[in-house]
Amino acid sequence: MLVKCSINSIEIENISHSVTLVPRLKYSINILNDVIDVLNDKQIQIKKANQGLIHDFDESDKLHTVALKLEHLVTFSLEILLSVQKNMGRISNISSIPEILPSTIPMIRIVSAQLFELIPNCSQKLSEISVHLGSIVIDSAALTTARFDFSQSNYESSSKLNEVKLMVDSKLSKQYPNLDFLKLCNT
């Protein structure tokens, strides 16, 4: 029995392009998970090293100040990347990519820049992820004819960064109740 099918070449092209998005997205998620694991380990190490600062913090000792700022940076970076990971987990189909990913790319780039001197390998991996996600967003938008409002994406990422910063400031203020953590990190 013969079945007549008319397949539009544009539909075939869209299907093949959408299929190539999945491995690229999975690859990016795997790299992100690796970076999160490294930061998680680093955070544990820093917390252990800073335990003595809870009671014996000397504001005039530059090493104490640097140690707390380092803990803040690693905690902030980790929380941002966990938020990105959560957002990427919300992707359910090709049309959700242009809605979810554009605001995550600036957050990844900011964390990458902050980690450049501290953990260069993680910074490099995050830069790679941002490039991958950028190409995935563009390809998915081309396939779904989505339009972007970059100012909205920048606003969303900026809002999320501020929200996470406040959460981290609060968390570390509770961990170190005897010092003005906000003043320390903003100097």
Side-chain angles (χ1 to χ4, degrees):
M1 177 160 122
L2 292 174
V3 178
K4 288 187 177 182
C5 286
S6 172
I7 299 177
N8 187 342
S9 64
I10 292 175
E11 289 175 9
I12 291 172
E13 186 176 317
N14 284 348
I15 290 169
S16 68
H17 284 298
S18 66
V19 170
T20 65
L21 293 177
V22 174
R24 289 167 32 207
L25 187 59
K26 284 184 179 180
Y27 177 74
S28 297
I29 290 170
N30 287 337
I31 294 174
L32 179 63
N33 291 340
D34 291 345
V35 172
I36 288 172
D37 289 343
V38 169
L39 282 176
N40 200 23
D41 291 344
K42 187 76 166 173
Q43 182 186 41
I44 291 168
Q45 291 172 354
I46 292 170
K47 270 186 169 181
K48 284 180 183 176
N50 287 352
Q51 276 298 313
L53 298 179
I54 293 173
H55 302 291
D56 296 330
F57 181 76
D58 180 3
E59 210 171 301
S60 63
D61 188 337
K62 190 167 184 146
L63 290 176
H64 288 190
T65 307
V66 169
L68 287 179
K69 286 183 179 183
L70 179 64
E71 185 171 356
H72 185 273
L73 171 68
V74 170
T75 303
F76 176 76
S77 298
L78 181 59
E79 291 297 331
I80 287 295
L81 295 180
L82 288 170
S83 172
V84 168
Q85 182 185 49
K86 183 179 177 182
N87 280 348
M88 290 174 74
R90 292 182 23 231
I91 296 172
S92 58
N93 57 43
I94 193 168
S95 62
S96 64
I97 292 173
E99 296 170 10
I100 294 171
L101 286 185
S103 64
T104 63
I105 295 169
M107 293 190 300
I108 291 171
R109 288 184 178 152
I110 286 171
V111 172
S112 174
Q114 290 180 335
L115 296 177
F116 181 74
E117 288 184 16
L118 179 65
I119 313 172
N121 187 35
C122 286
S123 176
Q124 181 182 4
K125 287 181 178 183
L126 290 171
S127 293
E128 182 182 349
I129 292 170
S130 73
V131 170
H132 280 274
L133 295 182
S135 70
I136 290 168
V137 167
I138 290 170
D139 290 350
S140 66
L143 294 169
T144 61
T145 64
R147 294 180 187 246
F148 296 111
D149 182 357
F150 287 105
S151 62
Q152 180 63 30
S153 294
N154 289 338
Y155 174 77
E156 289 171 12
S157 64
S158 178
S159 294
K160 187 63 178 179
L161 288 166
N162 289 333
E163 177 185 318
V164 170
K165 184 184 181 315
L166 288 173
M167 183 197 61
V168 168
D169 289 349
S170 174
K171 181 189 284 188
L172 292 175
S173 290
K174 289 176 185 171
Q175 185 176 331
Y176 299 99
N178 296 333
L179 56 117
D180 188 356
F181 201 84
L182 296 175
K183 178 183 156 197
L184 178 71
C185 285
N186 292 326
T187 57

